[in-house]
C-alpha cells in the first residue's frame, strides 16, 4: 500500500512518549479520549516512544485504519517532549521531523503575514 499523504487535511504529532505496544485500537482511543480529536477525520496521527528511533503513524482511509510503523537504522527523531500536548504540523514540519531535524528551524525563512510591507 503506497499512498501519497500530501493531500491529507491535518497532520498531528502526539508529543512526549507513547506506549509503542499499543495497536490501532489503543492509539485511536488515545487520540479520541486524551486529546479529543476525531481519529476518523482526514488526519494523520504520529506517535513515538521512549527511544525516539521509531514512530507509528495512524490514518483512517475511509474503510479502515492503516498503521505505519517505522524503525530507523541510524539516528533519532527530534520529538517534542511535552507529554500532554498535541501539535498540528505543516507538510514542511513533517519533512523536517522525519529527516531528523527539529520542528523549529531558526534559520528557515519565516512566512510573512499578509499586508506587511
Amino acid at each position: 500500500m503506497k499512498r501519497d499523504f500530501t493531500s491529507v487535511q491535518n497532520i498531528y504529532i502526539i508529543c512526549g512518549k507513547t506506549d509503542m505496544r499499543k495497536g490501532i485500537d489503543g492509539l485511536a482511543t488515545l487520540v479520541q479520549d486524551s486529546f479529543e480529536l476525531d481519529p476518523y477525520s482526514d488526519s494523520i496521527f504520529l506517535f513515538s516512544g521512549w527511544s525516539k528511533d521509531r514512530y507509528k503513524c495512524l490514518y483512517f482511509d475511509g474503510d479502515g485504519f492503516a498503521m505505519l510503523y517505522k524503525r530507523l537504522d541510524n539516528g533519532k527523531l527530534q520529538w517534542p517532549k511535552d507529554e500532554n500536548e498535541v501539535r498540528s504540523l505543516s507538510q514542511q514540519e513533517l519533512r523536517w521531523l522525519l529527516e531528523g531535524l527539529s520542528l523549529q528551524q531558526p534559520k528557515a525563512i519565516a512566512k510573512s503575514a499578509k499586508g506587511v510591507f
Side-chain angles (χ1 to χ4, degrees):
M1 175 184 97
K2 186 171 182 181
R3 182 173 168 105
D4 179 15
F5 290 106
T6 57
S7 63
V8 173
Q9 187 175 8
N10 298 302
I11 302 168
Y12 294 107
I13 181 173
I14 309 302
C15 301
K17 298 175 217 74
T18 300
D19 182 354
M20 295 302 277
R21 297 173 293 180
K22 290 182 186 281
I24 290 172
D25 294 335
L27 294 176
T29 300
L30 179 69
V31 166
Q32 190 171 15
D33 293 348
S34 297
F35 299 104
E36 298 179 357
L37 295 170
D38 181 10
Y40 293 95
S41 64
D42 185 25
S43 302
I44 291 174
F45 300 95
L46 299 163
F47 309 87
S48 183
W50 176 260
S51 62
K52 296 183 182 151
D53 67 345
R54 57 198 74 196
Y55 66 92
K56 286 185 177 180
C57 172
L58 184 69
Y59 177 70
F60 183 76
D61 68 358
D63 61 3
F65 282 97
M67 183 173 65
L68 168 77
Y69 179 71
K70 182 166 184 176
R71 180 184 53 93
L72 302 172
D73 284 340
N74 190 16
K76 294 191 181 285
L77 299 167
Q78 298 291 316
W79 208 266
K81 295 179 175 137
D82 188 354
E83 295 283 336
N84 299 316
E85 183 182 9
V86 61
R87 287 190 198 174
S88 181
L89 300 180
S90 67
Q91 289 286 337
Q92 184 175 37
E93 289 171 323
L94 176 61
R95 279 192 309 278
W96 285 340
L97 177 72
L98 299 182
E99 291 172 357
L101 300 172
S102 173
L103 293 177
Q104 292 78 31
Q105 292 295 315
K107 293 187 179 184
I109 297 172
K111 295 187 182 210
S112 62
K114 291 182 181 177
V116 176
F117 297 97

